[in-house]
């Protein structure tokens, strides 16, 4: 089966035999499950259930081979060439590891084979809905394209890749005639359960109502919904894999040990909401802070690198009307409306965009921007689009003393982008929502206040960054844009731009002030971009 080179027989029940014992006629059956085994650079030997292999062999899953895990970060980090394909296999593997560990240590949880298989499938299929260049498509492209009136426009306005993953999973099962019942699953109950595992329990307060609002599994098994997509505190196997895998390919250090979490994970009923939650040993609280710190560092240095956001998104906007994909019934769809047709969306990968860019030459020019940045404590997340447009007009009108040197800048020459860095729970300490247990009382769940952990923890868990881009890339225009930005910041009472200009004054910061990197060294220069430091 393709790259899967080994097969392993798993003995599940006793030998087949029919006879009479103590006056009762009984039959014991024997059957085997062929698990495909392959080697993963992150997790080593990985075994996959036959149903998972059937899912992997479908076109809907194989498309993930052609979607970069980190999107445009590959243009900055040459090692970041890994795809959603191997990440999804890793998440399916870790989901199985965690649920099996809980079943082994706590048989009273009544975790059965169906539960285990459903959790593995959810982990494997959780990213089926990603579009080209991963998060760039759903976060930077779809929100900016004009939304047509009607159901498609409504869908585009609230579209998330998790919802697309559920749609793609339905399409995968239906179009490939997967016989889920042949592997012991009960339909539609288990299908609903798998899809809810992919989505996660979005509203934590909804689970406290009576009766239990989620079909698929009873309230006693609520902890299963925290394995793949944990909306309560963000600790799930999805992060476990991408932290380890992304750090490996980016050449960065991963300080979080997910195997220790799995080793100490324990399900306990919490008095606050009367639900069973996955809890962690109290001594592991420092390890969890390391996990969220790793997440913050990855966002700063790679996930929200300036090349990985506005530049490629602008190229997508330019190419939207020029790239067409054939969908159901032979109908043609462009980049954005393709989300309304699962057959067309199946064909939408990084390759579709890259191959067609040769016929859309003008979109290539758009990815050459100059970038400046400044820190601010403004509540950027609440700023409407009109505020961004007004700021772009104000930047163009902020003509510095001495003029622009013959350069004319308009609002269309500036792009303002807001970026938020946090620990995964907006401005909240994510550990506030984590439950722990102690060695002395392993069946009692409790929270750990931050003052009992360390006095060196962050005082703030969220900050915003304003990035200002110049569409003009010639040196006189870039220098004029710098001057406009400095004057605009002064007029707004904002600090000097982080990337600075020759007119900016130095600060007492101990970190290097360069865009897209939080390391102690200057980041590499990139064609079409320039890192402007305060001392330049």
């Amino acid at each position: 089966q393709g790259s899967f080179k080994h097969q392993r027989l798993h003995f599940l029940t006793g030998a087949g035999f029919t006879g009479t014992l103590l006056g009762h006629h009984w039959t014991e059956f024997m059957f085997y499950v062929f698990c495909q085994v392959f080697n993963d650079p992150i997790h080593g030997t990985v075994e996959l259930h036959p149903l998972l292999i059937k899912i992997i062999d479908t076109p809907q899953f194989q498309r993930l081979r052609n979607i970069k895990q980190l999107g445009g970060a590959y243009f900055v980090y040459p090692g970041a060439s890994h795809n959603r394909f191997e990440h999804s296999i890793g998440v399916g593997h870790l989901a199985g590891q965690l649920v099996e560990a809980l079943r082994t240590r706590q048989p009273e949880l009544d975790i059965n084979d169906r539960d285990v298989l459903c959790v593995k499938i959810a982990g494997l299929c959780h990213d089926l809905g990603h579009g080209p260049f991963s998060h760039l498509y759903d976060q930077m492209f779809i929100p900016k394209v004009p939304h047509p009136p009607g159901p498609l426009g409504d869908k585009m306005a609230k579209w998330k890749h998790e919802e697309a993953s559920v749609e793609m999973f339905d399409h995968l099962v239906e179009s490939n005639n997967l016989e889920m019942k042949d592997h012991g699953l009960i339909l539609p109950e288990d299908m609903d359960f798998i899809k809810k595992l992919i989505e996660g329990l979005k509203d934590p307060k909804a689970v406290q109502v009576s009766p239990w609002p989620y079909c698929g599994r009873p309230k006693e098994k609520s902890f299963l919904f925290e394995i793949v997509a944990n909306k309560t505190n963000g600790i799930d196997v999805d992060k476990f894999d991408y932290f380890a895998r992304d750090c490996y390919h980016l050449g960065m250090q991963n300080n979080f040990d997910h195997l220790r979490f799995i080793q100490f994970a324990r399900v306990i009923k919490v008095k606050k909401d009367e639900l069973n939650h996955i809890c962690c040993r109290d001594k592991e609280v420092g390890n969890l802070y390391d996990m969220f710190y790793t997440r913050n560092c990855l966002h700063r240095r790679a996930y929200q690198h300036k090349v990985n956001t506005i530049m490629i998104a602008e190229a997508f906007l330019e190419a939207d009307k020029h790239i067409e994909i054939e969908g159901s019934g032979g109908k043609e769809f462009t980049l954005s409306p393709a989300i309304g047709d699962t057959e067309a969306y199946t064909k939408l990968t990084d390759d579709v965009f890259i191959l067609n860019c040769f016929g859309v030459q003008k979109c290539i020019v758009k990815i050459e921007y100059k970038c400046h940045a400044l820190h601010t404590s403004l509540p950027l997340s609440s700023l409407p689009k009109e505020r961004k447009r007004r700021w772009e007009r104000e930047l163009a009108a902020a003509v510095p003393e001495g003029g622009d040197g013959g350069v004319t800048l308009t609002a269309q020459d500036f792009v303002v982008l807001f970026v938020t860095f946090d620990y995964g729970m907006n401005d909240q300490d994510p550990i506030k929502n984590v439950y722990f247990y102690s060695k002395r009382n392993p069946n009692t769940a409790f929270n750990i206040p931050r003052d009992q952990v360390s006095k060196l923890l962050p005082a703030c868990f969220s900050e915003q960054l304003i990035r200002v881009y110049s569409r003009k890339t010639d040196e006189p225009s870039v220098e004029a844009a710098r001057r406009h930005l400095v004057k605009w910041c002064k007029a707004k009472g904002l600090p000097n731009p982080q990337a600075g200009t020759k007119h900016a004054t130095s600060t007492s910061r101990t970190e290097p002030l360069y865009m897209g990197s939080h390391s102690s060294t200057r980041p590499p220069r990139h064609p079409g971009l320039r890192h402007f430091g305060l001392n330049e």
Side-chain angles (χ1 to χ4, degrees), residues 71-89:
Y74 180 48
F75 295 115
V76 181
Y77 294 93
S81 59
H82 55 304
N83 304 307
R84 291 280 163 183
F85 180 83
E86 50 264 42
H87 164 64
S88 297
I89 292 176

Side-chain angles (χ1 to χ4, degrees), residues 228-411:
V228 176
N230 190 343
K231 302 298 183 181
T232 301
N233 54 45
I235 302 175
D236 51 46
V237 295
D238 180 24
K239 288 184 178 64
F240 294 176
D241 183 85
Y242 78 67
F243 285 167
R245 195 173 302 275
D246 293 352
C247 286
Y248 175 84
H249 287 280
L250 290 167
M252 299 178 185
Q253 183 68 36
N254 177 24
N255 296 322
F256 174 67
D257 185 356
H258 63 268
L259 293 179
R260 282 187 63 88
F261 180 90
I262 294 175
Q263 179 66 37
F264 289 106
R266 181 173 178 81
V267 174
I268 303 174
K269 188 173 184 178
V270 177
K271 293 182 178 180
K272 181 179 180 181
D273 56 12
E274 295 298 318
L275 293 177
N276 289 327
H277 290 279
I278 297 177
C279 305
C280 188
R281 178 70 187 277
D282 51 359
K283 68 178 182 178
E284 292 301 300
V285 62
N287 192 29
L288 295 184
Y289 272 111
D290 284 343
M291 186 195 80
F292 289 108
Y293 177 74
T294 298
R295 178 191 183 276
N296 183 47
C297 289
L298 286 170
H299 272 270
R300 289 180 177 278
R301 299 176 63 181
Y303 302 161
Q304 299 199 58
H305 192 284
K306 62 178 178 290
V307 174
N308 199 25
T309 51
I310 186 68
M311 304 174 190
I312 300 176
E314 288 280 309
F316 265 52
L317 292 170
E318 289 291 335
D320 187 21
K321 297 180 180 180
H322 302 276
I323 298 178
E324 293 186 342
I325 307 101
E326 183 178 342
S328 56
K331 186 178 179 180
E332 297 288 337
F333 295 86
T334 57
L335 279 178
S336 53
I339 67 173
D341 186 274
T342 50
E343 187 173 332
Y345 197 68
T346 301
K347 302 173 185 177
L348 192 57
T349 65
D350 295 1
D351 290 348
V352 171
F353 178 74
I354 293 172
L355 292 174
N356 281 275
C357 270
F358 293 104
V360 193
Q361 294 295 331
K362 64 179 181 178
C363 76
I364 301 297
V365 180
K366 289 292 183 182
I367 68 173
E368 293 191 0
Y369 281 81
K370 305 296 182 181
C371 179
H372 308 262
L374 57 94
H375 281 290
T376 175
S377 58
L378 294 175
L380 302 179
S381 58
S382 62
L383 292 178
K385 292 182 179 180
E386 178 54 36
R387 177 73 63 87
K388 299 179 184 180
R389 299 190 187 98
R390 179 160 61 84
W391 282 7
E392 290 167 359
R393 293 193 297 268
E394 291 176 355
L395 281 164
V399 180
E401 297 179 4
D404 286 334
V407 176
T408 301
L409 296 177
T410 66

Side-chain angles (χ1 to χ4, degrees), residues 398-466:
V399 180
E401 297 179 4
D404 286 334
V407 176
T408 301
L409 296 177
T410 66
Q412 287 69 36
D413 296 324
F414 292 94
V415 177
V416 176
L417 180 67
F418 303 141
V419 181
T420 300
F421 298 110
D422 56 40
Y423 271 43
M425 301 295 291
N426 298 318
D427 60 346
Q428 300 297 314
D429 181 353
I431 303 301
K432 289 177 60 177
N433 298 319
V434 179
Y435 294 102
F436 297 89
Y437 67 92
S438 65
K439 184 177 182 179
R440 178 175 295 182
N441 298 303
N443 296 317
T444 302
F446 57 87
N447 298 114
I448 299 181
R450 55 180 286 122
D451 57 0
Q452 294 183 14
V453 179
S454 173
K455 294 186 180 297
L456 301 179
L457 295 177
C460 177
F461 289 90
S462 177
E463 68 176 355
Q464 292 81 34
L465 190 73
I466 302 175

